[in-house]
Amino acid sequence: MRSVLCLIAFLLVSAWSGRTYSAVDTHEQAGAPAQRETANGPRDDGIGEQTESVAQAERLMSGDTVKVAVFEMVNVSDDRQFTGPTANAAAPLPASYFQRLDLSGDYVVQQDGRISMPRLGFVAATGRALQDVREEIQSSFTQVMGTAAEVNLTIVKRQPIYVVGAVKNSGAYDYAPGMIAIQAISLAGGIDRGAGRSAQLLERLRGAEKLEQTRAGLKRLIAKKARLETERDGASTIAVPARLKELAGSDEAERLIRDETELLHAGRRARAATTNDLDQQIESTEKHLAQLRQRADHFDAQKESRSTRIDLLQSLQQRGGVVQSSLITAQNELSDIEGRKQDFWITVAQTEQKLEAVRNGRAKFETDTMLSLSRELAQTTAEISDAERTLNVDAHATSTLNAMSGPEGLSEFYATPALDIIRRLDNTRSVMPAEDTTELLPGDVVRVRLVSPRAPSKGGLNAR
Protein backbone atom coordinates (compact mmCIF):
# COMPACT_ATOMS: atom_id res chain seq x y z
CA MET A 1 0.00 0.00 0.00
CA ARG A 2 2.80 2.40 0.85
CA SER A 3 4.47 1.69 -2.47
CA VAL A 4 1.28 2.53 -4.35
CA LEU A 5 0.87 5.83 -2.51
CA CYS A 6 4.50 6.75 -3.16
CA LEU A 7 4.08 5.97 -6.85
CA ILE A 8 1.02 8.20 -7.14
CA ALA A 9 2.75 11.03 -5.27
CA PHE A 10 5.83 10.69 -7.48
CA LEU A 11 3.82 10.89 -10.69
CA LEU A 12 1.78 13.94 -9.55
CA VAL A 13 4.78 15.86 -8.24
CA SER A 14 6.82 15.05 -11.33
CA ALA A 15 4.09 16.38 -13.60
CA TRP A 16 3.86 19.65 -11.62
CA SER A 17 7.65 19.87 -11.44
CA GLY A 18 7.93 19.78 -15.23
CA ARG A 19 5.64 22.82 -15.61
CA THR A 20 7.43 24.64 -12.83
CA TYR A 21 10.86 24.08 -14.25
CA SER A 22 9.84 25.28 -17.68
CA ALA A 23 8.48 28.54 -16.19
CA VAL A 24 11.60 29.07 -14.13
CA ASP A 25 13.89 28.22 -17.03
CA THR A 26 12.04 30.66 -19.29
CA HIS A 27 12.41 33.41 -16.71
CA GLU A 28 16.12 32.69 -16.38
CA GLN A 29 16.57 32.71 -20.12
CA ALA A 30 14.79 36.03 -20.41
CA GLY A 31 17.12 37.51 -17.82
CA ALA A 32 20.27 35.99 -19.28
CA PRO A 33 21.03 38.64 -21.92
CA ALA A 34 20.93 41.45 -19.35
CA GLN A 35 23.29 39.47 -17.08
CA ARG A 36 25.69 38.77 -19.92
CA GLU A 37 25.62 42.39 -20.99
CA THR A 38 26.41 43.52 -17.45
CA ALA A 39 29.16 40.98 -17.14
CA ASN A 40 30.73 42.10 -20.39
CA GLY A 41 31.00 45.69 -19.19
CA PRO A 42 29.42 48.89 -20.53
CA ARG A 43 27.81 48.67 -23.94
CA ASP A 44 29.61 50.45 -26.70
CA ASP A 45 26.53 52.36 -27.95
CA GLY A 46 27.08 55.87 -26.50
CA ILE A 47 24.80 55.46 -23.49
CA GLY A 48 27.57 55.00 -20.95
CA GLU A 49 27.21 53.96 -17.36
CA GLN A 50 23.89 54.17 -15.57
CA THR A 51 23.30 57.33 -13.58
CA GLU A 52 22.57 57.38 -9.90
CA SER A 53 18.88 58.08 -10.61
CA VAL A 54 18.61 55.04 -12.86
CA ALA A 55 20.24 52.86 -10.23
CA GLN A 56 17.83 54.19 -7.65
CA ALA A 57 14.86 53.66 -10.00
CA GLU A 58 15.75 49.96 -10.27
CA ARG A 59 15.33 49.57 -6.52
CA LEU A 60 12.05 49.11 -4.75
CA MET A 61 10.25 52.13 -3.35
CA SER A 62 7.26 52.72 -1.09
CA GLY A 63 4.05 52.35 -3.07
CA ASP A 64 5.45 49.82 -5.55
CA THR A 65 3.39 46.71 -6.25
CA VAL A 66 5.37 43.49 -6.70
CA LYS A 67 4.26 40.03 -7.79
CA VAL A 68 5.72 37.26 -5.66
CA ALA A 69 5.63 33.61 -6.80
CA VAL A 70 6.88 31.11 -4.18
CA PHE A 71 7.70 27.53 -5.30
CA GLU A 72 8.38 25.05 -2.46
CA MET A 73 10.83 22.21 -3.13
CA VAL A 74 9.55 18.70 -2.37
CA ASN A 75 11.80 15.61 -2.17
CA VAL A 76 10.13 12.37 -3.27
CA SER A 77 10.60 9.42 -0.88
CA ASP A 78 13.34 6.90 -1.85
CA ASP A 79 11.05 3.91 -1.34
CA ARG A 80 11.29 2.05 -4.68
CA GLN A 81 8.93 -0.84 -3.90
CA PHE A 82 7.36 -0.76 -7.32
CA THR A 83 8.25 -2.66 -10.40
CA GLY A 84 7.83 -1.99 -14.02
CA PRO A 85 9.61 -1.94 -17.30
CA THR A 86 11.06 1.50 -16.60
CA ALA A 87 12.05 0.98 -12.99
CA ASN A 88 15.66 1.86 -12.27
CA ALA A 89 16.73 1.49 -8.67
CA ALA A 90 20.03 3.22 -9.27
CA ALA A 91 18.58 6.46 -10.83
CA PRO A 92 18.35 9.47 -8.42
CA LEU A 93 14.96 11.05 -7.80
CA PRO A 94 14.78 14.75 -8.97
CA ALA A 95 13.62 17.57 -6.71
CA SER A 96 10.09 18.76 -7.42
CA TYR A 97 8.46 22.16 -6.86
CA PHE A 98 4.89 23.25 -6.39
CA GLN A 99 3.62 26.79 -6.08
CA ARG A 100 2.53 28.01 -2.66
CA LEU A 101 -0.68 29.81 -3.51
CA ASP A 102 -1.06 30.97 0.09
CA LEU A 103 2.17 32.98 -0.22
CA SER A 104 2.13 33.95 -3.90
CA GLY A 105 0.37 37.09 -5.06
CA ASP A 106 0.67 40.88 -5.40
CA TYR A 107 2.13 42.84 -2.49
CA VAL A 108 2.44 46.60 -1.97
CA VAL A 109 5.55 48.10 -0.41
CA GLN A 110 4.12 49.94 2.57
CA GLN A 111 5.03 53.40 3.80
CA ASP A 112 7.38 51.91 6.38
CA GLY A 113 9.34 50.30 3.52
CA ARG A 114 8.34 46.69 4.20
CA ILE A 115 6.29 43.96 2.53
CA SER A 116 3.96 42.03 4.78
CA MET A 117 3.68 38.34 3.78
CA PRO A 118 1.54 35.75 5.55
CA ARG A 119 3.50 33.40 7.82
CA LEU A 120 6.81 34.93 6.73
CA GLY A 121 6.20 38.28 8.39
CA PHE A 122 7.72 41.57 7.23
CA VAL A 123 10.43 41.81 4.58
CA ALA A 124 12.39 45.06 4.15
CA ALA A 125 12.03 46.30 0.56
CA THR A 126 12.55 50.05 0.15
CA GLY A 127 15.90 50.91 -1.43
CA ARG A 128 16.79 47.28 -2.09
CA ALA A 129 17.28 45.47 -5.40
CA LEU A 130 14.85 42.73 -6.45
CA GLN A 131 17.55 40.07 -6.10
CA ASP A 132 18.22 41.01 -2.47
CA VAL A 133 14.54 40.93 -1.56
CA ARG A 134 14.07 37.63 -3.41
CA GLU A 135 16.94 36.03 -1.50
CA GLU A 136 15.60 37.28 1.83
CA ILE A 137 12.16 35.82 1.10
CA GLN A 138 13.77 32.46 0.22
CA SER A 139 15.82 32.55 3.43
CA SER A 140 12.75 33.44 5.53
CA PHE A 141 10.79 30.61 3.93
CA THR A 142 13.52 28.09 4.75
CA GLN A 143 13.70 29.29 8.36
CA VAL A 144 9.93 29.20 8.90
CA MET A 145 8.91 26.19 6.79
CA GLY A 146 12.05 24.09 7.09
CA THR A 147 12.23 23.44 3.35
CA ALA A 148 13.93 25.16 0.43
CA ALA A 149 12.06 27.31 -2.07
CA GLU A 150 12.47 29.21 -5.32
CA VAL A 151 11.04 32.76 -5.43
CA ASN A 152 10.22 34.83 -8.50
CA LEU A 153 9.87 38.57 -7.84
CA THR A 154 8.78 41.19 -10.42
CA ILE A 155 7.54 44.77 -10.25
CA VAL A 156 4.06 45.06 -11.72
CA LYS A 157 3.14 48.64 -10.79
CA ARG A 158 5.01 51.75 -9.71
CA GLN A 159 3.88 55.12 -8.37
CA PRO A 160 2.88 57.59 -11.11
CA ILE A 161 4.68 60.77 -12.11
CA TYR A 162 2.81 64.01 -11.30
CA VAL A 163 3.12 67.02 -13.61
CA VAL A 164 1.80 70.37 -12.35
CA GLY A 165 2.14 74.06 -13.11
CA ALA A 166 2.32 75.71 -16.52
CA VAL A 167 1.29 72.68 -18.58
CA LYS A 168 -1.85 72.07 -20.58
CA ASN A 169 -3.03 68.97 -18.71
CA SER A 170 -1.81 68.72 -15.14
CA GLY A 171 -2.24 65.31 -13.55
CA ALA A 172 -0.75 61.91 -12.79
CA TYR A 173 0.93 59.81 -15.52
CA ASP A 174 2.24 56.25 -15.52
CA TYR A 175 5.92 55.90 -14.80
CA ALA A 176 8.17 54.14 -17.32
CA PRO A 177 11.74 53.09 -16.55
CA GLY A 178 14.24 55.68 -17.76
CA MET A 179 11.60 58.44 -18.07
CA ILE A 180 13.04 61.95 -18.20
CA ALA A 181 11.42 65.29 -17.38
CA ILE A 182 10.71 66.34 -20.99
CA GLN A 183 8.82 63.09 -21.58
CA ALA A 184 6.59 63.69 -18.56
CA ILE A 185 5.88 67.24 -19.73
CA SER A 186 5.03 65.91 -23.18
CA LEU A 187 2.50 63.52 -21.63
CA ALA A 188 0.95 66.56 -19.89
CA GLY A 189 0.45 68.32 -23.25
CA GLY A 190 3.55 70.49 -23.18
CA ILE A 191 4.20 73.97 -21.83
CA ASP A 192 1.11 76.17 -21.63
CA ARG A 193 1.95 79.82 -22.07
CA GLY A 194 -1.55 81.00 -22.79
CA ALA A 195 -3.89 79.17 -20.44
CA GLY A 196 -2.85 81.08 -17.33
CA ARG A 197 -2.81 84.35 -19.22
CA SER A 198 -6.24 83.71 -20.77
CA ALA A 199 -7.72 82.88 -17.39
CA GLN A 200 -6.14 85.99 -15.92
CA LEU A 201 -7.42 88.21 -18.71
CA LEU A 202 -10.87 86.68 -18.38
CA GLU A 203 -10.81 87.32 -14.65
CA ARG A 204 -9.76 90.92 -15.25
CA LEU A 205 -12.56 91.41 -17.80
CA ARG A 206 -15.11 89.97 -15.42
CA GLY A 207 -13.82 92.15 -12.61
CA ALA A 208 -13.93 95.27 -14.78
CA GLU A 209 -17.45 94.43 -15.97
CA LYS A 210 -18.67 93.87 -12.41
CA LEU A 211 -17.04 97.12 -11.32
CA GLU A 212 -18.75 99.03 -14.13
CA GLN A 213 -22.12 97.44 -13.34
CA THR A 214 -21.77 98.39 -9.68
CA ARG A 215 -20.81 101.96 -10.61
CA ALA A 216 -23.73 102.28 -13.07
CA GLY A 217 -26.18 100.99 -10.46
CA LEU A 218 -24.83 103.41 -7.88
CA LYS A 219 -25.25 106.36 -10.27
CA ARG A 220 -28.87 105.44 -10.94
CA LEU A 221 -29.56 105.09 -7.21
CA ILE A 222 -28.08 108.52 -6.45
CA ALA A 223 -30.18 110.16 -9.19
CA LYS A 224 -33.27 108.35 -7.91
CA LYS A 225 -32.66 109.55 -4.37
CA ALA A 226 -32.40 113.14 -5.63
CA ARG A 227 -35.79 112.76 -7.35
CA LEU A 228 -37.43 111.30 -4.25
CA GLU A 229 -36.09 114.10 -2.07
CA THR A 230 -37.38 116.69 -4.54
CA GLU A 231 -40.79 115.03 -4.54
CA ARG A 232 -40.85 114.87 -0.75
CA ASP A 233 -39.95 118.54 -0.42
CA GLY A 234 -42.36 119.64 -3.15
CA ALA A 235 -39.62 121.40 -5.13
CA SER A 236 -40.00 122.06 -8.83
CA THR A 237 -36.51 121.04 -10.03
CA ILE A 238 -33.99 118.34 -9.08
CA ALA A 239 -30.54 119.49 -7.97
CA VAL A 240 -27.56 117.49 -9.33
CA PRO A 241 -25.78 115.76 -6.39
CA ALA A 242 -22.02 116.28 -6.14
CA ARG A 243 -21.40 112.52 -5.73
CA LEU A 244 -23.20 111.88 -9.02
CA LYS A 245 -20.96 114.39 -10.81
CA GLU A 246 -17.93 112.70 -9.26
CA LEU A 247 -18.96 109.25 -10.50
CA ALA A 248 -20.47 110.11 -13.88
CA GLY A 249 -19.14 113.49 -14.89
CA SER A 250 -21.21 116.57 -15.63
CA ASP A 251 -22.73 115.46 -18.95
CA GLU A 252 -23.87 112.02 -17.82
CA ALA A 253 -25.06 113.42 -14.48
CA GLU A 254 -27.24 115.96 -16.29
CA ARG A 255 -28.66 113.22 -18.49
CA LEU A 256 -29.52 111.06 -15.49
CA ILE A 257 -31.19 114.00 -13.74
CA ARG A 258 -33.22 114.75 -16.88
CA ASP A 259 -34.44 111.16 -16.91
CA GLU A 260 -35.40 111.40 -13.24
CA THR A 261 -37.13 114.74 -13.89
CA GLU A 262 -39.35 113.08 -16.46
CA LEU A 263 -40.21 110.41 -13.92
CA LEU A 264 -40.91 113.11 -11.33
CA HIS A 265 -43.33 114.92 -13.64
CA ALA A 266 -44.99 111.68 -14.73
CA GLY A 267 -45.52 110.67 -11.11
CA ARG A 268 -46.91 114.04 -10.21
CA ARG A 269 -49.30 113.93 -13.17
CA ALA A 270 -50.52 110.48 -12.14
CA ARG A 271 -51.09 111.56 -8.54
CA ALA A 272 -52.76 114.77 -9.68
CA ALA A 273 -55.12 112.78 -11.89
CA THR A 274 -56.04 110.50 -8.99
CA THR A 275 -56.51 113.44 -6.65
CA ASN A 276 -58.64 115.30 -9.22
CA ASP A 277 -60.83 112.26 -9.70
CA LEU A 278 -61.38 111.98 -5.97
CA ASP A 279 -62.15 115.72 -5.72
CA GLN A 280 -64.72 115.40 -8.50
CA GLN A 281 -66.36 112.50 -6.69
CA ILE A 282 -66.50 114.57 -3.51
CA GLU A 283 -67.93 117.56 -5.35
CA SER A 284 -70.61 115.57 -7.15
CA THR A 285 -71.59 113.77 -3.97
CA GLU A 286 -71.85 117.07 -2.10
CA LYS A 287 -74.10 118.52 -4.84
CA HIS A 288 -76.31 115.45 -4.77
CA LEU A 289 -76.56 115.63 -1.01
CA ALA A 290 -77.49 119.33 -1.17
CA GLN A 291 -80.25 118.58 -3.69
CA LEU A 292 -81.61 115.84 -1.49
CA ARG A 293 -81.74 118.13 1.52
CA GLN A 294 -83.65 120.74 -0.52
CA ARG A 295 -86.27 118.09 -1.27
CA ALA A 296 -86.78 117.51 2.45
CA ASP A 297 -88.72 120.81 2.74
CA HIS A 298 -90.99 119.67 -0.12
CA PHE A 299 -91.85 116.48 1.76
CA ASP A 300 -92.63 118.47 4.89
CA ALA A 301 -94.94 120.82 2.94
CA GLN A 302 -96.79 117.92 1.33
CA LYS A 303 -97.16 116.19 4.68
CA GLU A 304 -98.55 119.36 6.29
CA SER A 305 -100.96 119.89 3.37
CA ARG A 306 -102.25 116.32 3.56
CA SER A 307 -102.66 116.54 7.35
CA THR A 308 -104.69 119.79 7.02
CA ARG A 309 -106.91 118.23 4.35
CA ILE A 310 -107.58 115.19 6.53
CA ASP A 311 -108.52 117.40 9.47
CA LEU A 312 -110.95 119.36 7.24
CA LEU A 313 -112.50 116.21 5.82
CA GLN A 314 -112.94 114.73 9.28
CA SER A 315 -114.78 117.89 10.50
CA LEU A 316 -117.02 117.88 7.42
CA GLN A 317 -117.74 114.20 7.92
CA GLN A 318 -118.94 114.88 11.43
CA ARG A 319 -121.44 117.33 10.00
CA GLY A 320 -122.37 114.82 7.29
CA GLY A 321 -120.96 116.79 4.39
CA VAL A 322 -118.17 114.41 3.22
CA VAL A 323 -118.32 110.84 2.16
CA GLN A 324 -116.12 108.21 3.76
CA SER A 325 -114.19 107.45 0.55
CA SER A 326 -112.73 110.94 0.28
CA LEU A 327 -111.39 110.73 3.81
CA ILE A 328 -109.79 107.34 3.14
CA THR A 329 -108.11 108.64 -0.02
CA ALA A 330 -106.62 111.59 1.86
CA GLN A 331 -105.35 109.29 4.63
CA ASN A 332 -103.71 106.99 2.04
CA GLU A 333 -101.97 109.93 0.43
CA LEU A 334 -100.60 110.99 3.78
CA SER A 335 -99.31 107.47 4.45
CA ASP A 336 -97.64 107.41 1.02
CA ILE A 337 -95.92 110.70 1.74
CA GLU A 338 -94.67 109.34 5.09
CA GLY A 339 -93.23 106.26 3.35
CA ARG A 340 -91.53 108.25 0.63
CA LYS A 341 -90.12 110.56 3.25
CA GLN A 342 -88.55 107.64 5.11
CA ASP A 343 -87.02 106.33 1.87
CA PHE A 344 -85.75 109.82 1.17
CA TRP A 345 -83.94 110.07 4.48
CA ILE A 346 -82.42 106.64 3.91
CA THR A 347 -81.06 107.90 0.58
CA VAL A 348 -79.71 111.00 2.31
CA ALA A 349 -77.93 108.87 4.90
CA GLN A 350 -76.40 106.67 2.21
CA THR A 351 -75.22 109.72 0.28
CA GLU A 352 -73.64 111.15 3.40
CA GLN A 353 -71.82 107.85 3.99
CA LYS A 354 -70.58 107.86 0.40
CA LEU A 355 -69.32 111.41 0.79
CA GLU A 356 -67.51 110.48 3.96
CA ALA A 357 -65.93 107.44 2.25
CA VAL A 358 -64.71 109.51 -0.69
CA ARG A 359 -63.23 112.14 1.63
CA ASN A 360 -61.51 109.41 3.67
CA GLY A 361 -60.23 107.83 0.47
CA ARG A 362 -58.68 111.08 -0.63
CA ALA A 363 -57.01 111.58 2.75
CA LYS A 364 -55.78 107.97 2.71
CA PHE A 365 -54.36 108.41 -0.78
CA GLU A 366 -52.34 111.40 0.35
CA THR A 367 -51.14 109.57 3.47
CA ASP A 368 -50.22 106.42 1.55
CA THR A 369 -48.40 108.50 -1.06
CA MET A 370 -46.23 110.19 1.55
CA LEU A 371 -45.65 106.90 3.41
CA SER A 372 -44.66 105.09 0.21
CA LEU A 373 -42.36 107.95 -0.69
CA SER A 374 -40.67 107.82 2.73
CA ARG A 375 -40.21 104.05 2.49
CA GLU A 376 -38.79 104.22 -1.02
CA LEU A 377 -36.43 106.99 0.01
CA ALA A 378 -35.17 104.98 3.01
CA GLN A 379 -34.71 101.85 0.89
CA THR A 380 -32.85 103.79 -1.79
CA THR A 381 -30.56 105.30 0.83
CA ALA A 382 -29.74 101.80 2.17
CA GLU A 383 -29.09 100.50 -1.35
CA ILE A 384 -26.73 103.41 -2.01
CA SER A 385 -24.78 102.53 1.13
CA ASP A 386 -24.49 98.86 0.04
CA ALA A 387 -23.50 99.88 -3.48
CA GLU A 388 -20.77 102.17 -2.15
CA ARG A 389 -19.26 99.29 -0.15
CA THR A 390 -19.49 96.92 -3.11
CA LEU A 391 -17.88 99.53 -5.34
CA ASN A 392 -14.93 99.85 -2.97
CA VAL A 393 -14.47 96.05 -2.84
CA ASP A 394 -14.72 95.66 -6.62
CA ALA A 395 -12.32 98.53 -7.21
CA HIS A 396 -9.78 96.99 -4.83
CA ALA A 397 -10.12 93.55 -6.47
CA THR A 398 -9.70 95.01 -9.95
CA SER A 399 -6.66 96.98 -8.87
CA THR A 400 -5.11 93.83 -7.38
CA LEU A 401 -5.69 91.84 -10.56
CA ASN A 402 -4.16 94.58 -12.68
CA ALA A 403 -1.13 94.75 -10.41
CA MET A 404 -0.65 90.97 -10.50
CA SER A 405 -0.75 90.79 -14.29
CA GLY A 406 1.72 93.65 -14.79
CA PRO A 407 1.37 96.77 -16.90
CA GLU A 408 1.90 95.06 -20.23
CA GLY A 409 0.03 91.89 -19.29
CA LEU A 410 1.99 89.69 -21.74
CA SER A 411 4.91 88.62 -19.58
CA GLU A 412 3.82 84.96 -19.66
CA PHE A 413 4.34 84.77 -23.42
CA TYR A 414 7.98 85.83 -23.08
CA ALA A 415 8.78 83.89 -19.90
CA THR A 416 11.26 81.02 -19.76
CA PRO A 417 10.01 77.67 -18.41
CA ALA A 418 11.85 76.44 -15.33
CA LEU A 419 11.53 72.95 -13.88
CA ASP A 420 11.57 71.74 -10.29
CA ILE A 421 11.32 68.15 -9.12
CA ILE A 422 9.78 67.40 -5.76
CA ARG A 423 11.13 64.03 -4.67
CA ARG A 424 10.67 61.99 -1.54
CA LEU A 425 13.94 61.06 0.13
CA ASP A 426 13.54 58.80 3.14
CA ASN A 427 10.87 60.53 5.21
CA THR A 428 11.33 64.00 3.76
CA ARG A 429 10.63 65.68 0.43
CA SER A 430 13.26 67.64 -1.40
CA VAL A 431 12.82 70.30 -4.09
CA MET A 432 15.57 70.38 -6.70
CA PRO A 433 16.03 72.28 -9.98
CA ALA A 434 15.84 70.10 -13.07
CA GLU A 435 16.69 70.08 -16.76
CA ASP A 436 14.93 68.61 -19.79
CA THR A 437 16.89 65.36 -19.50
CA THR A 438 16.72 64.92 -15.73
CA GLU A 439 15.74 61.31 -15.06
CA LEU A 440 12.69 60.75 -12.92
CA LEU A 441 11.83 58.34 -10.15
CA PRO A 442 8.41 56.88 -9.36
CA GLY A 443 6.36 59.35 -7.33
CA ASP A 444 8.28 62.43 -8.53
CA VAL A 445 6.35 65.69 -8.91
CA VAL A 446 7.49 67.75 -11.91
CA ARG A 447 6.58 71.40 -11.39
CA VAL A 448 6.77 73.74 -14.40
CA ARG A 449 7.11 77.48 -13.76
CA LEU A 450 7.18 80.44 -16.14
CA VAL A 451 9.99 82.78 -15.13
CA SER A 452 9.97 86.39 -16.31
CA PRO A 453 12.83 87.26 -18.69
CA ARG A 454 14.00 89.81 -16.14
CA ALA A 455 14.37 87.16 -13.45
CA PRO A 456 17.23 84.62 -13.54
CA SER A 457 16.16 81.06 -14.29
CA LYS A 458 17.50 78.07 -12.43
CA GLY A 459 17.51 76.04 -15.61
CA GLY A 460 14.99 73.93 -17.41
CA LEU A 461 13.41 73.79 -20.82
CA ASN A 462 14.82 76.11 -23.43
CA ALA A 463 12.33 78.58 -24.83
CA ARG A 464 11.65 77.79 -28.43
Side-chain angles (χ1 to χ4, degrees):
M1 183 63 180
R2 181 180 179 185
S3 299
V4 174
L5 294 176
C6 291
L7 175 61
I8 295 174
F10 174 79
L11 293 175
L12 292 175
V13 172
S14 297
W16 179 262
S17 174
R19 291 194 296 270
T20 303
Y21 274 122
S22 78
V24 173
D25 291 343
T26 302
H27 174 73
E28 292 176 353
Q29 292 175 3
Q35 295 173 355
R36 287 195 297 272
E37 182 178 348
T38 302
N40 294 333
R43 299 190 321 184
D44 187 18
D45 56 2
I47 295 179
E49 298 180 355
Q50 294 180 332
T51 63
E52 181 180 355
S53 296
V54 173
Q56 187 176 357
E58 292 178 348
R59 299 179 181 275
L60 290 174
M61 303 176 63
S62 298
D64 289 345
T65 301
V66 295
K67 180 180 288 297
V68 180
V70 180
F71 298 89
E72 183 177 1
M73 185 178 68
V74 177
N75 292 322
V76 180
S77 174
D78 196 17
D79 188 358
R80 295 182 175 86
Q81 298 182 11
F82 61 91
T83 59
T86 61
N88 186 358
L93 293 177
S96 299
Y97 294 87
F98 71 96
Q99 186 174 8
R100 291 294 299 264
L101 299 180
D102 57 335
L103 300 178
S104 302
D106 292 347
Y107 295 89
V108 178
V109 180
Q110 302 174 6
Q111 291 296 322
D112 60 1
R114 300 184 298 176
I115 298 173
S116 176
M117 298 186 64
R119 305 189 66 180
L120 302 185
F122 293 96
V123 178
T126 298
R128 303 181 66 188
L130 290 176
Q131 179 65 19
D132 296 339
V133 178
R134 186 182 72 83
E135 292 176 354
E136 182 172 343
I137 294 176
Q138 289 182 171
S139 176
S140 298
F141 183 90
T142 301
Q143 294 178 2
V144 175
M145 301 299 180
T147 58
E150 287 289 337
V151 176
N152 287 341
L153 187 65
T154 57
I155 300 176
V156 295
K157 184 179 180 182
R158 311 216 68 171
Q159 293 187 73
I161 296 296
Y162 302 89
V163 186
V164 298
V167 293
K168 294 181 180 179
N169 301 302
S170 299
Y173 296 91
D174 292 338
Y175 171 80
M179 178 181 286
I180 60 178
I182 190 65
Q183 292 174 321
I185 295 174
S186 177
L187 292 175
I191 301 297
D192 184 8
R193 297 178 180 273
R197 175 61 185 156
S198 298
Q200 193 175 71
L201 287 176
L202 181 60
E203 191 66 24
R204 288 181 59 182
L205 289 175
R206 288 176 178 172
E209 181 181 3
K210 187 174 184 296
L211 178 63
E212 184 57 31
Q213 290 176 350
T214 304
R215 183 180 288 110
L218 179 58
K219 290 185 290 189
R220 289 192 296 269
L221 288 172
I222 293 175
K224 178 182 178 181
K225 180 182 179 182
R227 170 176 60 83
L228 295 175
E229 291 176 341
T230 301
E231 188 174 348
R232 178 197 61 188
D233 300 337
S236 57
T237 58
I238 304 176
V240 181
R243 178 57 174 160
L244 183 59
K245 288 183 178 180
E246 178 184 351
L247 289 172
S250 299
D251 294 339
E252 186 180 0
E254 292 290 345
R255 180 184 61 80
L256 290 172
I257 292 300
R258 284 197 301 270
D259 294 341
E260 293 297 330
T261 301
E262 292 180 0
L263 292 176
L264 175 65
H265 293 163
R268 285 179 173 176
R269 286 193 298 269
R271 285 189 295 275
T274 302
T275 302
N276 185 53
D277 181 63
L278 292 173
D279 290 340
Q280 289 181 356
Q281 292 183 31
I282 292 174
E283 183 180 358
S284 63
T285 304
E286 289 176 343
K287 288 181 179 180
H288 185 214
L289 183 59
Q291 292 173 357
L292 290 176
R293 288 174 176 172
Q294 288 177 359
R295 292 175 57 188
D297 296 337
H298 177 68
F299 279 106
D300 291 339
Q302 286 184 342
K303 179 180 178 182
E304 184 177 357
S305 175
R306 294 299 186 276
S307 298
T308 302
R309 178 177 171 79
I310 290 173
D311 292 340
L312 179 59
L313 292 175
Q314 287 177 348
S315 65
L316 292 175
Q317 183 182 18
Q318 292 176 357
R319 293 195 297 268
V322 178
V323 295
Q324 183 68 24
S325 59
S326 299
L327 181 58
I328 293 173
T329 299
Q331 290 175 343
N332 289 337
E333 290 177 353
L334 179 61
S335 297
D336 181 62
I337 290 173
E338 290 286 351
R340 285 188 290 121
K341 185 178 180 180
Q342 291 179 356
D343 293 339
F344 167 77
W345 286 115
I346 292 175
T347 301
V348 171
Q350 291 175 345
T351 305
E352 290 176 344
Q353 291 177 355
K354 179 181 178 181
L355 178 60
E356 184 67 19
V358 174
R359 288 173 175 171
N360 291 338
R362 189 184 187 285
K364 185 176 183 300
F365 173 73
E366 293 179 352
T367 302
D368 290 345
T369 299
M370 295 304 298
L371 181 60
S372 176
L373 180 61
S374 299
R375 289 176 177 172
E376 190 174 4
L377 183 58
Q379 181 179 356
T380 303
T381 302
E383 291 176 355
I384 289 175
S385 178
D386 293 340
E388 290 282 7
R389 287 194 295 269
T390 304
L391 181 66
N392 291 333
V393 173
D394 293 344
H396 179 71
T398 302
S399 176
T400 302
L401 286 174
N402 293 338
M404 290 175 60
S405 61
E408 65 281 347
L410 295 175
S411 58
E412 292 89 342
F413 294 102
Y414 303 102
T416 301
L419 305 183
D420 295 324
I421 292 180
I422 304 174
R423 176 173 296 170
R424 181 172 181 176
L425 300 175
D426 297 330
N427 294 325
T428 62
R429 292 195 179 273
S430 176
V431 180
M432 61 189 73
E435 300 290 341
D436 302 7
T437 57
T438 300
E439 296 180 359
L440 304 177
L441 296 180
D444 278 355
V445 179
V446 180
R447 180 174 61 192
V448 182
R449 298 178 289 109
L450 293 178
V451 181
S452 172
R454 304 186 187 92
S457 175
K458 295 181 180 179
L461 292 174
N462 295 323
R464 295 178 174 87

